[in-house]
Amino acid sequence: MDEQLLADLKARLRITWVEEDTDLTKNISRAKAYLSNLTGASFDFSKDEWPKEILLERCRYVYNNAADEFEVNFQSELARLILQVALGKVGVISGDETVS
C-alpha cells in the first residue's frame, strides 16, 4: 500500500525522479502518524479516499515547507474528518492496546 501512496504523492507533486523516494516515504509515515494522533484512528488509505486526500495534502504542505499553514488552511476538513471518525464512517478508532 505504501508504494501506491508514494506513487500518488509523486503524481501530486509532479515528481518523476526516484532520488527523493526515501524522504517522501518518511513524509507519508509522518503524515499517517499526524492523522492518527489527530483523530485517534487508523485508516486504510486504499479504501478511505477522503482521508487519503487529506494525507496527500499534508505531505504536499510538508514537502513545500508550509506545514505550519496546513491546519489553518484545512481546518474545516480536519474537523469534518474527526467527526466522521467519531461517527464511525471512516477509520478504525484505536484502542488502548500498545503497538510494538
Side-chain angles (χ1 to χ4, degrees):
M1 179 57 209
D2 283 343
E3 296 83 22
Q4 185 59 51
L5 281 175
L6 178 60
D8 292 342
L9 179 57
K10 288 177 76 171
R12 169 100 18 122
L13 298 173
R14 292 179 168 73
I15 294 175
T16 57
W17 52 91
V18 297
E19 290 80 10
E20 292 188 70
D21 284 6
T22 301
D23 289 336
L24 293 174
T25 301
K26 288 177 186 176
N27 190 349
I28 291 168
S29 293
R30 287 189 296 268
K32 284 180 178 180
Y34 170 84
L35 289 179
S36 179
N37 185 40
L38 181 72
T39 63
S42 59
F43 301 94
D44 180 350
F45 294 104
S46 66
K47 295 178 184 174
D48 295 330
E49 284 295 320
W50 186 55
K52 178 180 170 181
E53 285 299 312
I54 294 174
L55 174 105
L56 293 174
E57 286 300 312
R58 172 72 182 179
C59 290
R60 183 174 66 87
Y61 271 68
V62 169
Y63 181 81
N64 288 301
N65 296 316
D68 57 327
E69 298 175 25
F70 177 76
E71 285 189 13
V72 173
N73 292 341
F74 282 82
Q75 182 177 8
S76 61
E77 290 86 350
L78 293 172
R80 195 165 71 228
L81 179 63
I82 292 167
L83 179 62
Q84 294 293 315
V85 167
L87 294 173
K89 295 190 176 194
V90 296
V92 175
I93 295 177
S94 305
D96 291 329
E97 68 276 356
T98 51
V99 178
S100 47

